């Protein structure tokens, strides 16, 4: 399998509502979509989003490094997916988002040649038993805004079937966040409710948060302290916390997971393709977490389209069990690049939404063209 044509689309898609995090407020999604055509005429799709505070990659760095990588590897014969990232690494250091994007598109092509869906291929690759109908994936829904809006939205969305939730914390005084969480947990009793501080808390506030009786109903607290925190701080937080500790920005691959397992300082992790460098690497991480009795949350960066959502869902369907839910971020976009975008059905994503071939979805050319970032154009390689 050889690449004969590649096109890179720099996209900007507005969000339905701004999403406020400790380090940034996101009003529009900046994401990069890759289209590959191989020597048999098959088309493969990949995607990676801008994430300067998570991967260090901006729109321009993503575009430049993806083009750089493509020009140096496009003439190779792509036979063994397990060697894809090794080939990338020979010509480009780091840049996990770029490698994830290219690997996604190549795996889309590879599984179309094999005439199987990507999720089934991943199960085969990792020697998991054959499965015809994987369990539905629970969709994790983020809620935010004023306390009144949060409570109103939670009530409405719960009627729609959502049972997995994320509350952003770290922007308000610690006691205000604790009171918000108590109020929401009372409305969402019995559900999987989590918080995410994106590393905004210091250790003292994180301990206060995790030891408060008002937060005891949380299923987990994600990345309360900075990824730059010391080993001692992570261990102390885990030691004192009354609720499970999840990590996100601290986890970029197997090495970090093994380190935190050794430290006994977490209960699970959020996996994103742009952090690990691709689907295969994310599957390795998920397997390692599962083997050690740790929980998994799968997530797309805020915000990616149904292309990335479908690829990440393939990982979830391949795993078969995602106890901390799937953060599918295309649900926050005003529109998607796919004519029939993935969406929650009674709070879950089922396999029937994906075409049983490759990643299972494809964008519309017209929408891609209309969504280009102002001042940018399609890059052909």
């Amino acid at each position: 399998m050889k690449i004969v044509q590649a096109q890179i689309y720099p996209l900007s898609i507005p969000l339905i509502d701004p999403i406020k995090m400790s380090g940034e407020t996101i009003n529009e999604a900046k994401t990069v979509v890759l289209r590959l055509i191989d020597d048999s005429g098959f088309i493969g799709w990949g995607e990676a989003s801008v994430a300067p505070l998570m991967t260090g990659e901006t729109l321009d760095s993503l575009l430049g490094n993806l083009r750089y990588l493509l020009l140096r590897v496009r003439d190779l014969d792509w036979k063994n997916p397990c060697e894809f990232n090794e080939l990338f690494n020979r010509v480009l250091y780091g840049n996990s988002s770029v490698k994830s994007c290219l690997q996604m598109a190549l795996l889309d092509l590879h599984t179309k040649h094999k005439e199987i869906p990507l999720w089934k291929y991943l199960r085969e690759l990792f020697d998991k038993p054959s499965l015809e109908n994987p369990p539905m994936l629970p969709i994790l829904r983020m809620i935010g805004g004023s306390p009144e809006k949060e409570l109103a939205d939670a009530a409405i969305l719960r009627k729609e079937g959502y049972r997995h939730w994320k509350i952003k914390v770290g922007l308000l005084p610690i006691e205000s966040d604790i009171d918000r969480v108590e109020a929401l947990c009372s409305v969402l009793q019995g559900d999987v409710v989590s918080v995410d501080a994106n590393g905004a808390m210091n250790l003292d506030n994180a301990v206060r948060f995790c030891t408060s009786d008002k937060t005891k109903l949380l299923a987990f607290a994600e990345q309360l302290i900075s990824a730059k925190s010391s080993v001692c701080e992570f261990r102390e937080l885990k030691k004192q916390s009354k609720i499970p500790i999840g990590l996100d920005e601290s986890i970029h691959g197997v090495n970090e997971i093994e380190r935190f397992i050794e430290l006994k300082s977490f209960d699970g992790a959020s996996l994103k393709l742009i952090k690990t460098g691709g689907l295969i690497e994310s599957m390795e991480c998920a397997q390692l977490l599962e083997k050690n009795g740790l929980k998994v949350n799968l997530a797309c960066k805020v915000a990616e389209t149904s292309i990335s959502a479908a690829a990440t869902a393939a990982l979830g369907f391949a795993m078969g069990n995602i106890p901390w839910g799937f953060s599918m971020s295309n649900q926050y976009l005003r529109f998607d690049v796919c004519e029939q975008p993935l969406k929650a059905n009674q709070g879950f994503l089922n396999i029937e939404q994906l075409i049983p071939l490759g990643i299972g979805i494809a964008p519309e050319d017209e929408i891609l063209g209309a969504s280009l970032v102002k001042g940018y154009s399609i890059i052909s390689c």
Side-chain angles (χ1 to χ4, degrees), residues 11 13 31 33-34 45-47 104 108 112 304-311 328 330-331 333-343 353-355 359-371:
L11 306 182
I13 303 175
T31 190
V33 168
L34 172 64
W45 295 97
E47 181 180 5
M104 188 189 301
D108 192 20
K112 284 173 179 173
E304 295 173 329
T305 75
S306 286
I307 299 170
S308 181
M328 191 171 71
N330 72 309
Q331 61 190 322
L333 298 172
R334 285 192 191 172
F335 62 87
D336 205 310
V337 296
C338 300
E339 186 176 4
Q340 295 184 324
L342 301 187
K343 59 182 180 180
Q353 290 195 49
L354 298 176
I355 299 168
I359 65 170
I361 204 164
E364 296 294 313
D365 288 344
E366 185 176 342
I367 305 177
L368 285 174
S371 304

Side-chain angles (χ1 to χ4, degrees), residues 303-322:
E304 295 173 329
T305 75
S306 286
I307 299 170
S308 181
T312 307
L315 178 61
F317 288 129
M319 286 299 299
N321 180 34
I322 308 298

Side-chain angles (χ1 to χ4, degrees), residues 60-353:
D60 289 328
S61 71
L62 269 176
L63 295 173
N65 287 318
L66 184 53
R67 180 177 183 275
Y68 176 92
L69 183 59
L70 279 165
L71 290 174
R72 281 154 183 79
V73 301
R74 60 169 291 167
D75 291 333
L76 298 177
D77 193 1
W78 302 95
K79 296 179 180 178
N80 183 0
C82 292
E83 296 176 353
F84 286 176
N85 273 31
E86 180 184 340
L87 295 172
F88 302 161
N89 292 337
R90 291 178 185 177
V91 296
L92 183 65
Y93 175 79
N95 291 279
S96 58
S97 299
V98 166
K99 292 170 182 175
S100 171
C101 183
L102 180 52
Q103 187 199 85
M104 188 189 301
L106 288 169
L107 284 172
D108 192 20
L109 288 172
H110 182 80
T111 48
K112 284 173 179 173
H113 277 276
K114 290 176 67 69
E115 298 184 340
I116 61 170
L118 175 58
W119 71 269
K120 281 193 175 183
Y121 172 75
L122 290 172
R123 285 189 71 87
E124 290 179 5
L125 188 64
F126 285 84
D127 296 320
K128 295 179 78 70
S130 177
L131 191 64
E132 286 303 316
N133 293 301
M136 296 185 295
L137 301 180
I139 300 300
L140 188 151
R141 181 76 191 201
M142 186 159 46
I143 44 180
S146 68
E148 295 77 17
K149 184 179 186 300
E150 287 181 325
L151 290 170
D153 287 349
I156 293 170
L157 291 166
R158 199 166 192 271
K159 288 181 180 178
E160 295 178 8
Y162 288 94
R163 293 295 182 269
H164 285 65
W165 310 90
K166 175 179 285 188
I167 307 164
K168 288 291 185 181
V169 295
L171 289 170
L172 301 175
I174 188 68
E175 293 302 329
S176 297
D177 274 336
I178 289 173
D179 289 341
R180 285 174 59 224
V181 168
E182 181 186 35
L184 285 164
C185 283
S186 68
V187 173
L188 303 170
Q189 282 191 45
D191 293 356
V192 178
V193 184
S194 64
V195 296
D196 181 8
N198 297 110
M201 295 184 185
N202 60 36
L203 179 61
D204 288 342
N205 279 343
V207 170
R208 283 174 62 193
F209 185 90
C210 289
T211 55
S212 171
D213 285 340
K214 294 181 178 181
T215 63
K216 64 184 179 182
L217 295 179
L218 287 172
F220 66 100
E222 182 179 305
Q223 201 67 53
L224 295 184
I225 60 177
S226 169
K228 297 178 183 178
S229 300
S230 69
V231 167
C232 294
E233 289 176 303
F234 280 107
R235 294 183 69 173
E236 185 64 20
L237 177 59
K238 178 67 178 75
K239 178 182 176 182
Q240 294 201 43
S241 179
K242 294 180 181 179
I243 55 180
I245 297 297
L247 297 178
D248 182 6
E249 287 87 346
S250 293
I251 303 296
H252 286 253
V254 167
N255 290 341
E256 290 88 354
I257 292 174
E258 289 177 339
R259 174 172 171 259
F260 281 102
I261 288 173
E262 185 178 350
L263 293 172
K264 298 180 180 179
S265 56
F266 75 138
D267 298 283
S270 176
L271 301 179
K272 294 182 176 73
L273 304 182
I274 61 171
K275 291 192 303 176
T276 64
L279 282 148
I280 293 174
E281 290 69 23
S282 288
M283 189 75 176
E284 290 172 349
C285 290
Q287 294 270 81
L288 179 59
L289 289 165
E290 189 177 66
K291 178 182 176 182
N292 285 274
L294 300 167
K295 300 292 197 299
V296 177
N297 161 254
L298 293 181
C300 300
K301 179 70 176 70
V302 177
E304 295 173 329
T305 75
S306 286
I307 299 170
S308 181
T312 307
L315 178 61
F317 288 129
M319 286 299 299
N321 180 34
I322 308 298
W324 282 356
F326 171 30
S327 304
M328 191 171 71
S329 63
N330 72 309
Q331 61 190 322
Y332 308 116
L333 298 172
R334 285 192 191 172
F335 62 87
D336 205 310
V337 296
C338 300
E339 186 176 4
Q340 295 184 324
L342 301 187
K343 59 182 180 180
N345 180 12
Q346 289 295 307
F348 291 85
L349 180 72
N350 54 54
I351 193 65
E352 286 76 21
Q353 290 195 49

Side-chain angles (χ1 to χ4, degrees), residues 17-31:
D17 294 304
I19 294 178
K20 294 183 179 180
M21 296 183 279
S22 61
E24 60 181 335
T25 297
I26 301 175
N27 295 291
E28 57 185 4
K30 290 287 196 306
T31 190

